[in-house]
Structure formats: C-alpha cells, structure tokens
C-alpha cells in the first residue's frame, strides 16, 4: 500500500486534488500510476474511492503530503536541473508551454472565474523563486538578445575576474539558442520519489527535561553598589 500511495503522489502534476474540484486530476494521477506500476494496479485502484473522500482521514493526509512531494520533486529539483528560461521554471508554471496568446489567456481566466471564483490570483507569494518584477525583466531581456549580449560583454570588460580565475561564459541568450525545449517526460523523470520515513532501530529516546534552579527570592540589584 505504501508503494501504491507513493506512486500516485509521484504522478501528480499539481500540489493536491483540492476536492471536489480536482477529482479529475486525482483520477488521472491514479491511472498514470497504474500504467507506470502495473503490478500495483489492484492496490492503486482500490485506494481511489478512499482518496476521493475529502472527509476521510486518508484523503486528508494524502492532500497534505502530495504538495510537499510535488514542490520538492519538480519546482526545487527538476526546474533547477533544467532552466531554459527562468520565467518558465517558476512555481505553478509549465516549462513545456513557452507562452500564451492573448485570447488563450482570457479563455483561461474565464474558465477560472467560472470554476474557482473565490480563488486567489497573485503574482508573487512566499513560494515563488523570483518576484514578478524580476520575471518581467527576464522576459524582456529574452526579447532583446543583441542588446543584452553587448551589455554582458561590456560588463565583463569593466569587471574582469582576478588572475587565475576563468571568465564565466553564462548570461548570453545566444548560448542557450538551439537548446531543445524541455519535454514533459524529462520533467516527470526528475521528480523525487515519495519514500515513507523509516523509524530508527532500537529503543526510542526521550529527551530529559533539564532541572531548573528555583528563582531567587529577591531579584538581583541592577544598580551599582
């Protein structure tokens, strides 16, 4: 059962199912997990009814755990191992989708308003790696390749590395030209597997409480004698 739950969590592409709205997402994750681990399919399918019940303890615990695995496996690992453009490898983003058209953006906002009218829409949270102004600058620079290359060359001339240190070659958009776009399978394969915590062997240790000396009957004087 532990392996089945771990496989389902690793198959999530969002933080959690947010029942009842994310029922389809949970079903898709279960189906994906069953295809990946066919030997666990009976157990995986048997867990689905319990995971779909938001009031069931297993369903609640599952949603509390899936977000952590998603964040560590994708946003904190896969997105840092492959960074085509910093604004694409951000919390909640999909690096396989480079950009949206204006009509496509409005269509998504209409759908979001219909499904989740009270949901928060924000540009920066405590989870984002880069603030909205930084992401806007990165996106703007990516559209001004010659100007950025000239600026980087000029800065490297003005601030050369000390003798014995090699000059870095990062920072130029031309150096990432021709890189293939990241694909979904590559991102998925970089996710961290969910492993249950194993308690240490041997007797459990309890922390001894330190004995404190009783407070003095009269507070010490803070005035010089």
């Amino acid at each position: 059962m532990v392996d089945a739950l771990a496989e389902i969590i690793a198959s999530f592409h969002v933080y959690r199912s947010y029942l009842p709205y994310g029922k389809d997402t949970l079903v898709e994750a279960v189906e994906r997990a069953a295809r990946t681990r066919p030997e666990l399919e009976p157990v995986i399918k048997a867990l689905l009814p319990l995971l779909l019940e938001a009031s069931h303890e297993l369903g609640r615990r599952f949603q509390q755990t899936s977000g952590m695995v998603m964040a560590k496996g994708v946003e904190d690992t896969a997105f840092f191992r492959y960074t085509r453009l910093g604004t694409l490898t951000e919390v909640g983003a999909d690096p396989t989708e480079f950009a949206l058209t204006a009509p496509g953006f409005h269509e998504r906002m209409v759908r979001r308003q219909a499904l989740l009218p009270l949901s928060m829409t924000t540009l920066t949270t405590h989870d984002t790696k880069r603030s909205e102004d930084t992401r806007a600058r990165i996106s703007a620079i990516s559209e001004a390749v010659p100007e950025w290359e000239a600026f980087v060359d000029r800065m490297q001339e003005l601030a050369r590395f000390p003798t014995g240190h090699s000059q870095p070659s990062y920072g130029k958009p031309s150096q990432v030209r021709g890189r293939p776009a990241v694909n979904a399978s590559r991102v998925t394969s970089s996710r961290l597997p969910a492993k249950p915590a194993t308690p240490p062997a041997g007797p459990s240790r309890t922390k001894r409480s330190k004995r404190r000396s009783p407070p003095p009957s009269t507070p010490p004087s803070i005035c010089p004698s």
Side-chain angles (χ1 to χ4, degrees):
M1 181 180 295
V2 173
D3 290 343
L5 287 171
E7 197 63 41
I8 297 173
I9 292 177
S11 299
F12 259 76
H13 64 276
V14 295
Y15 279 149
R16 53 187 64 87
S17 51
Y18 296 105
L19 296 174
Y21 303 103
K23 176 183 177 181
D24 294 340
T25 300
L26 179 55
V27 173
E28 291 174 4
V30 167
E31 293 176 350
R32 191 179 301 112
R35 290 194 301 269
T36 305
R37 298 288 300 275
E39 73 278 10
L40 297 175
E41 182 175 0
V43 182
I44 291 174
K45 293 295 181 65
L47 289 171
L48 180 58
L50 299 177
L51 297 178
L52 287 173
E53 293 185 19
S55 59
H56 196 282
E57 183 178 3
L58 179 60
R60 294 196 305 269
R61 296 282 186 177
F62 182 85
Q63 295 195 67
Q64 292 171 354
T65 307
S66 61
M68 296 182 288
V69 178
M70 168 66 178
K72 289 300 172 187
V74 178
E75 296 162 2
D76 295 349
T77 302
F79 281 5
F80 279 89
R81 290 179 179 175
Y82 187 93
T83 303
R84 187 187 185 198
L85 184 62
T87 51
L88 300 180
T89 52
E90 186 53 87
V91 175
D94 181 1
T96 64
E97 184 177 53
F98 195 87
L100 278 178
T101 62
F105 172 78
H106 289 296
E107 180 183 352
R108 290 193 182 184
M109 293 302 101
V110 170
R111 185 168 65 250
R112 183 181 180 90
Q113 174 66 22
L115 296 176
L116 301 169
L118 301 180
S119 179
M120 178 179 65
T121 301
T122 183
L123 298 176
T124 296
T125 70
H126 63 284
D127 286 323
T128 48
K129 312 302 180 186
R130 304 165 188 86
S131 60
E132 67 270 32
D133 56 333
T134 300
R135 300 198 305 271
R137 287 177 171 87
I138 293 175
S139 296
I141 289 173
S142 69
E143 298 181 4
V145 176
E147 294 83 353
W148 176 249
E149 287 185 340
F151 173 78
V152 171
D153 289 338
R154 179 58 176 161
M155 291 300 101
Q156 289 181 347
E157 291 176 0
L158 296 176
R160 293 187 176 277
F161 269 45
T163 304
H165 294 268
S166 59
Q167 189 79 356
S169 59
Y170 58 83
K172 293 186 178 182
S174 62
Q175 292 163 353
V176 297
R177 291 175 186 167
R179 281 191 183 182
V182 62
N183 55 66
S185 60
R186 184 170 183 177
V187 173
T188 304
S189 63
S190 300
R191 294 179 180 176
L192 297 178
K195 295 183 179 180
T198 304
S204 59
R205 297 180 179 179
T206 57
K207 188 176 181 180
R208 294 182 179 180
S209 59
K210 296 182 179 180
R211 296 184 61 185
R212 298 181 179 179
S213 57
S217 56
T218 57
S221 174
I222 59 174
C223 299
S225 55

